[in-house]
Amino acid sequence: MTTEKRSETHDPKIKIGIQKSGRLTPETVTLLQKSGLEFDPTGDSRKLSVLCRNFDAELYFLRDGDIRQYVARAKVDLGIVGQNLLYECGSRNLTQLLELGFGKCSLAVAVPDESPYESIEDLNGKKIATSYPNSTRRFFKMHEIKTSIIPTQGSVEVAPRLGYADAISDIVSSGNTLRANGLRPLAQIYSSQAILIANQKMSKDKTEQTENLLVRFKGVIDAAKYKYLVMNAPYKSIDGISKAAHGLKSPTVTPLAIEGWVSVHVVIKETDFWDTIKALKALGVSGMVELPIERVIF
Ligand code: PRT
């Protein structure tokens, strides 16, 4: 790897497809930047690719719906894409490398609020409008429920009100669109998030570059799962603190200017945060400061 500035004619080792403009774009750009990749994310909006200044990679700004195919056909080596598209369109020639923790949503079956349907069995013989016909067909087939799937491009939520379908299946995240259109969820078909995908037949040098990138991505993703805590504690509480918050290995302890007191630094899991704080307070800890972590490399 080299840190020198690359010319636009340089043939980069690895091509990465990311969404040009949409729900996945801001967090994808943030992930790449926090992973240390330097590039111009905005630049000229007509420009559909950009070279990384400090990593042997070129980014291609594509439609989320197209990225899967670009990777499968080895036109780009890696892609950041909604998992839902792989469930819907298949993952031939693709390897799913990493779940990225953003773009979270689910594919859900929903029915009008005032409808009598209480379970998916009630949809036997009914019409379902969806932009995800393959996933929806599979789901009902698996449950041995006969439905008529009506493929629909966009504004799916309005289909029941217009008498075009009895129910819908669509991507849901906050649920606001369902509510705004007088619909309620009946069942979840699957959950989804943004993932990093790769072409299955990558060359050795590209595989190495990808592994390098994976370490960086994991470092950023794992960092979001942890918090750094600095606190003052009575020296006698160190054993208790080590049990309540053992950190990645053990807490770092340094003496304070006041006798019998120490400063303790520890990394704790975000999910354990409030339970850990409660336990630490019971041990006489005070002056706790929570700091964000940029990266965690295990
Ligand atoms: O044009 P391009 O192919 O790039 O993208 P697009 O415009 O088709 O997709 P975009 O940007 O809307 O979504 C890209 C990806 O984001 C999807 O493939 C999913 O993986 C993921 N994602 C996460 C979502 C949502 N959340 C989401 N809420 N995709 C779509 N929605 C839509 C949904 O279709 C529905 O209309 O938002 C509405 C529901 O949202 P809530 O919050 O009201 O429930």
Side-chain angles (χ1 to χ4, degrees), residues 19 22-23 63-65 82 84 105 157 170-171 173-177:
Q19 192 182 24
R23 287 168 206 270
R63 288 196 53 199
D64 183 45
N84 47 305
C105 57
E157 292 89 351
D170 197 15
I171 296 290
S173 62
S174 67
N176 288 340
T177 309

Side-chain angles (χ1 to χ4, degrees), residues 148-182:
S148 171
I149 304 296
I150 307 181
T152 311
Q153 297 300 322
S155 303
V156 176
E157 292 89 351
V158 87
R161 209 179 330 142
L162 293 174
Y164 191 58
D166 302 291
I168 66 159
S169 123
D170 197 15
I171 296 290
V172 176
S173 62
S174 67
N176 288 340
T177 309
L178 288 187
R179 279 189 290 278
N181 287 285

Side-chain angles (χ1 to χ4, degrees), residues 93-153:
N93 298 331
L94 299 173
T95 309
Q96 299 192 36
L97 293 179
L98 188 64
E99 295 187 333
L100 301 174
F102 60 85
K104 289 189 176 176
C105 57
S106 62
L107 182 66
V109 178
V111 295
D113 280 333
E114 69 288 356
S115 70
Y117 313 128
E118 293 301 337
S119 72
I120 51 167
E121 284 73 22
D122 295 338
L123 296 178
N124 201 18
K126 303 295 178 196
K127 287 186 275 185
I128 321 288
T130 183
S131 316
Y132 289 79
N134 297 329
S135 313
T136 307
R137 196 171 287 118
R138 257 196 326 267
F139 174 77
F140 283 107
K141 196 170 173 203
M142 189 177 78
H143 290 279
E144 299 179 349
I145 297 166
K146 282 210 169 80
T147 52
S148 171
I149 304 296
I150 307 181
T152 311
Q153 297 300 322

